[in-house]
Amino acid sequence: MRAIQLPGGGELPVLGQGTWGMGERRGQRAAEVAALRRGLDLGLGLIDTAEMYGSGGAEEVVGAAISGRRDEVFLVSKVYPHNASRRGAVEACERSLRRLGTDHLDLYLLHWRGSTPLAETMDAFEQLRADGKIRRFGVSNFDPADMDELFAGELGRRSATDQVLYNLTRRGVEVDLLPWCRERRLPVMAYSPIEQGRLLGEPALRRVAERHEATPAQIAIAWVLAQDGVCAIPKAATPEHVDQNRAALDIELTAADLAELDAAFPAPKRPVPLEVL
């Protein structure tokens, strides 16, 4: 598995497994657990979840999937903004750890900006790190102005990543946020790399896929993985889908492929508000 160096040491796998939408229907639990465990079999140890997903249900699914295999996992979860106070973040993290059946997270993120001052959230994260409950912390859905404010504080500068929406149809981050992060060697985690499936019928994507004997989804993921300093966390709810996602890691897009995709999905020329789903 290729990896990106994390600030302060350690590595972030470039391809992982997302869990948005998991844990919402009990009848799908076994399939979701099987999908995540298949990912572990294939080396997809990066698993991203959040207390928001399924109101904790996704974390319970992840906990079942990683039971007995914790040492294979780079585990990420996220705290609600309304739980991000000094006391609230600690308590929220402890609840997440119980649902996940583990004693620590490899990475804990503030899910998006809220009313709690960033310095207070960072204090809570640092306490969790000092107590061994998390190894690293970071943020999600932060735009460049948010990142400037975050990095104005000493603890904020210890952040390990910014997780944002990024795919062929959502390229606004290339104008300002990606350069900001690359300058500081801060990895970016791309969620929804296939835009929840909405871009898969695009002709250019299909043409490139045909040349590689791949699926449009695999090409969309491969395009994200071709970006410097970016990892992708696509969700897959079945083992077969996981197999397809893993195969995207082996696709090498040519200069002609990238040019065709760039022409079909051009990046904006000027800054745009950070997009979210």
Side-chain angles (χ1 to χ4, degrees):
M1 176 61 64
R2 303 198 309 269
I4 305 168
Q5 288 297 123
L6 283 161
E11 295 181 332
L12 182 67
V14 297
L15 182 62
Q17 304 185 79
T19 62
W20 188 4
M22 289 188 179
E24 297 179 355
R25 298 175 180 84
R26 185 168 298 276
Q28 295 180 358
R29 180 185 176 98
E32 291 167 347
V33 170
L36 291 171
R37 292 184 72 85
R38 176 59 178 166
L40 295 182
D41 294 341
L42 296 174
L44 301 180
L46 168 59
I47 299 179
D48 174 81
T49 190
E51 66 171 342
M52 184 188 82
Y53 301 164
S55 299
E59 290 180 326
E60 292 175 352
V61 169
V62 173
I66 68 174
S67 179
R69 304 182 68 170
R70 180 64 181 90
D71 60 345
E72 301 174 44
V73 182
F74 187 101
L75 188 56
V76 185
S77 194
K78 299 182 284 291
V79 61
Y80 268 124
H82 63 254
N83 286 336
S85 65
R86 184 175 287 105
R87 177 177 176 179
V90 171
E91 293 177 347
C93 182
E94 291 171 346
R95 290 192 296 270
S96 290
L97 292 174
R98 287 194 293 271
R99 288 189 289 264
L100 290 160
T102 185
D103 62 356
H104 75 280
L105 295 170
D106 295 285
L107 180 60
Y108 197 38
L109 308 179
L110 173 59
H111 209 151
W112 65 88
R113 286 296 301 268
S115 59
T116 302
L118 288 178
E120 183 174 343
T121 302
M122 293 301 109
D123 283 342
F125 283 180
E126 177 58 20
Q127 178 183 333
L128 287 164
R129 189 202 63 78
D131 291 343
K133 295 175 181 178
I134 66 175
R135 298 282 172 82
R136 307 165 187 84
F137 53 82
V139 294
S140 179
N141 297 305
F142 270 40
D143 64 18
D146 295 324
M147 296 303 292
D148 281 336
E149 182 179 344
L150 179 69
F151 271 55
E154 179 183 353
L155 290 179
R157 290 192 293 274
R158 299 181 190 176
S159 293
T161 191
D162 186 11
Q163 183 182 122
V164 297
L165 175 62
Y166 182 41
N167 59 50
L168 278 164
T169 63
R170 310 277 193 161
R171 297 181 61 181
V173 296
E174 294 179 16
V175 178
D176 46 17
L177 182 63
L178 275 183
W180 192 102
C181 291
R182 285 169 177 156
E183 181 179 344
R184 293 160 181 81
R185 299 185 180 278
L186 187 74
V188 168
M189 298 181 71
Y191 71 83
S192 294
I194 60 172
E195 186 66 12
Q196 298 182 326
R198 286 187 289 271
L199 58 77
L200 301 184
E202 296 289 341
L205 198 60
R206 287 185 173 278
R207 287 193 297 271
V208 175
E210 289 172 1
R211 290 201 292 270
H212 287 269
E213 298 183 343
T215 67
Q218 289 171 327
I219 298 302
I221 294 170
W223 180 86
V224 172
L225 299 181
Q227 312 307 310
D228 183 42
V230 179
C231 75
I233 45 172
K235 173 197 167 187
T238 67
E240 294 76 18
H241 192 179
V242 175
D243 288 348
Q244 293 176 16
N245 287 350
R246 169 58 183 83
L249 192 63
D250 300 322
I251 296 173
E252 294 187 16
L253 297 175
T254 67
D257 294 331
L258 294 171
E260 183 170 356
L261 294 172
D262 191 59
F265 306 97
K269 301 298 184 183
R270 58 182 60 86
V272 298
L274 184 69
E275 297 180 282
V276 298
L277 286 178

